[in-house]
Amino acid sequence: MLEISLAPIELLLSRSGPFSEEDYIPEEDNVAGLKALKILVIGAGGLGCEILKDLALSGFKDIHVIDMDTIDLSNLNRQFLFRKSDVGKPKATVAADFIMKRVKGVKVTPYYGKIQDKDDDYYMKFGIVICGLDNIEARRWINSTLYNLVDESNPDSLKPLIDGGTEGFKGQARVIIPSVTSCFECSLELIGPQVTFPICTIANTPRLPEHCIEWASVIEWDRVFGSSKKMDTDNPEHIQWLYETALARAHEFNIDGVSYSLTQGIVKNIIPAIASTNAIIAASCVNEAFKIATTCNPFLNNYMMYAGDHSVYTYTFEYQRKPNCPVCGTTAVTVRFDGNRTLQEFIDKLAELPETKSKQPSLRTVSRSLYLRQPPQLEEITRPNLDKTLRELIEPGEEVAMTDPNLPFSVNLRVELI
């Protein structure tokens, strides 16, 4: 077991520096506060493993981690807290055990499950939350949840969110102070659209291994299983079926390149990760957590971009709040759309718009329900509206409330018909 000496940390916090806040008071309580602070890490994958390690080595003693995934063989090349004997076990549990065995005096409490399983009282326990996720919906959910916790009469209700993300040799770290800085929802436009393939290509003339995998997941799964079995991209048996089906399709069309890892990456929209990028972004996230916890230096305001394609390059800037942000803004999101097109086409557009990115929206105006996905009875009643034009359903400039089961907030849309 590794016993970490806090002497360097105590030395750092016992004196002011050139970048310290003017009102910073060097004292022993700063170290005690660091030890006592509860910090939550969401995600125990490539980025999460690095974050957990850095936190444990930086003086944080009470760490919690949430992850809903189990360890796969393909994780081992970059998720260094895991070993081959851990394959199939929950990431959160194994990561917590590894850290506690290697670093003396650190307590890591794991939770194997979804962040949505926990209520507001759970998140109120933490002083700081760090995200190491590759899932946009989950990041939007925790961003909104922490924002909704804010109570102006209770300073302890404000929970800083530090969000890290990587994509190959690129990455970013940001500090989100709910109700103070811009939030994650404000920057959805920075996230590019997901790559999709024409249905006619994947159905009739596949040319790439990706076409075969999309065919297996989009067409063949529904044909074989129908509504009797919902695809679960976190289920290894389902991924194995998709892989074998796509491989057979690839052999039929003399296409090479279909593999289990590629299949998993396509259906789960996994972006290839590089260990060095994870290490750099994790270090930045933990550095910001340390500064917030101890007030020894001003924290990031509020966005840092990293690029390591050709050299080490970083750029820091303040990402501004959006007045029409559905989480932290005050005005409705304006959407311009052809009034002669159908409600179904409008819903399809909402999945692409940077301001919404909603995959399963339900829509209603003040006076009527346009389309409701749940309960089934209301879905059946509102389904005929999908084939009607927007001009038949709403007035120009009328506001439409959009909800999505994956998001804990509603979005007000001001629809301008063109």
Side-chain angles (χ1 to χ4, degrees):
M1 177 177 287
L2 179 65
E3 184 169 0
I4 300 301
S5 171
L6 289 180
I9 295 174
E10 292 172 349
L11 181 62
L12 173 66
L13 299 179
S14 66
R15 58 188 181 184
S16 297
F19 300 106
S20 299
E21 297 278 11
E22 292 183 3
D23 56 353
Y24 175 66
I25 302 175
E27 56 186 4
E28 293 182 1
D29 287 347
N30 294 329
V31 178
L34 185 68
K35 294 179 182 179
L37 183 137
K38 288 182 182 293
I39 189 165
L40 174 64
V41 178
I42 301 178
L47 189 56
C49 284
E50 291 281 356
I51 291 171
L52 288 169
K53 176 260 294 179
D54 289 348
L55 287 173
L57 298 178
S58 298
F60 291 91
K61 299 296 185 181
D62 191 355
I63 306 169
H64 295 242
V65 58
I66 293 179
D67 196 290
M68 62 176 289
D69 285 341
T70 55
I71 299 164
D72 184 81
L73 187 64
S74 63
N75 301 148
L76 303 185
N77 68 324
R78 65 193 180 281
Q79 298 175 22
F80 62 94
L81 300 183
F82 311 138
R83 300 294 181 266
K84 192 172 183 179
S85 59
D86 298 323
V87 170
K89 298 177 183 178
K91 289 184 177 180
T93 304
V94 175
D97 290 343
F98 191 101
I99 293 292
M100 288 190 290
K101 287 178 182 177
R102 294 295 296 271
V103 184
K104 185 178 180 180
V106 174
K107 180 183 178 183
V108 184
T109 305
Y111 175 70
Y112 171 44
K114 300 179 180 179
I115 55 175
Q116 293 87 348
D117 296 341
K118 300 296 187 179
D119 58 16
D120 288 353
D121 290 339
Y122 174 81
Y123 291 107
M124 280 292 290
K125 297 189 302 183
F126 301 102
I128 300 174
V129 178
I130 304 182
C131 273
L133 293 166
D134 59 2
N135 183 294
I136 301 303
E137 284 73 24
R139 291 157 84 182
R140 295 176 73 183
W141 189 92
I142 192 63
N143 171 76
S144 176
T145 297
L146 296 184
Y147 189 92
N148 290 335
L149 290 181
V150 177
D151 179 354
E152 293 183 0
S153 64
N154 179 14
D156 291 336
S157 66
L158 193 151
K159 310 296 180 183
L161 172 64
I162 301 171
D163 179 71
T166 64
E167 182 178 352
F169 284 104
K170 300 178 182 178
Q172 75 280 332
R174 64 185 302 181
V175 174
I176 297 170
I177 309 296
S179 76
V180 178
T181 69
S182 61
C183 72
F184 183 80
E185 198 74 18
C186 291
S187 58
L188 282 185
E189 63 187 22
L190 296 181
I191 302 169
Q194 184 176 346
V195 177
T196 57
F197 303 103
I199 195 70
C200 57
T201 299
I202 65 175
N204 302 313
T205 56
R207 299 183 299 277
L208 301 172
E210 290 85 351
H211 294 163
C212 301
I213 296 168
E214 284 282 296
W215 175 82
S217 61
V218 174
I219 298 176
E220 196 65 0
W221 180 277
D222 285 340
R223 188 188 71 79
V224 174
F225 299 108
S227 59
S228 63
K229 182 189 292 188
K230 183 179 179 180
M231 185 191 302
D232 180 1
T233 57
D234 292 312
N235 187 324
E237 293 181 0
H238 291 192
I239 298 295
Q240 183 67 29
W241 186 91
L242 293 172
Y243 161 62
E244 293 174 354
T245 304
L247 187 62
R249 174 84 164 175
H251 287 162
E252 180 183 350
F253 286 87
N254 296 317
I255 297 172
D256 296 324
V258 173
S259 65
Y260 182 91
S261 60
L262 180 62
T263 302
Q264 191 177 42
I266 294 294
V267 299
K268 295 186 68 174
N269 192 30
I270 295 175
I271 299 169
I274 295 174
S276 58
T277 308
N278 286 336
I280 291 169
I281 297 303
S284 177
C285 290
V286 174
N287 187 39
E288 296 309 319
F290 185 88
K291 290 189 288 186
I292 293 172
T294 64
T295 69
C296 65
N297 275 278
F299 54 80
L300 178 68
N301 182 30
N302 52 35
Y303 202 109
M304 186 277 287
M305 295 177 61
Y306 162 77
D309 309 61
H310 305 292
S311 62
V312 176
Y313 171 80
T314 61
Y315 176 66
T316 302
F317 64 97
E318 181 181 358
Y319 199 97
Q320 299 291 331
R321 294 177 69 176
K322 283 191 170 182
N324 62 355
C325 173
V327 174
C328 67
T330 57
T331 61
V333 176
T334 299
V335 179
R336 302 180 76 247
F337 199 75
D338 186 349
N340 296 319
R341 299 176 71 176
T342 66
L343 180 62
Q344 179 62 66
E345 292 176 301
F346 180 68
I347 288 175
D348 294 340
K349 185 67 175 178
L350 293 179
E352 303 173 3
L353 287 176
E355 299 88 350
T356 52
K357 287 187 180 289
S358 177
K359 297 180 180 179
Q360 302 179 52
S362 292
L363 304 172
R364 63 169 293 115
T365 66
V366 174
S367 58
R368 68 184 298 186
S369 296
L370 302 180
Y371 179 66
L372 302 178
R373 293 182 181 272
Q374 294 293 336
Q377 298 90 333
L378 290 180
E379 195 282 331
E380 184 177 355
I381 292 173
T382 58
R383 192 185 306 156
N385 287 340
L386 295 175
D387 296 324
K388 295 181 180 179
T389 66
L390 289 193
R391 293 191 193 280
E392 297 177 79
L393 298 172
I394 63 175
E395 298 295 326
E398 187 174 11
E399 288 198 4
V400 176
M402 183 194 81
T403 57
D404 189 310
N406 296 313
L407 302 173
F409 59 87
S410 62
V411 181
N412 290 325
L413 306 174
R414 184 176 181 275
V415 183
E416 293 185 356
L417 303 182
I418 55 176

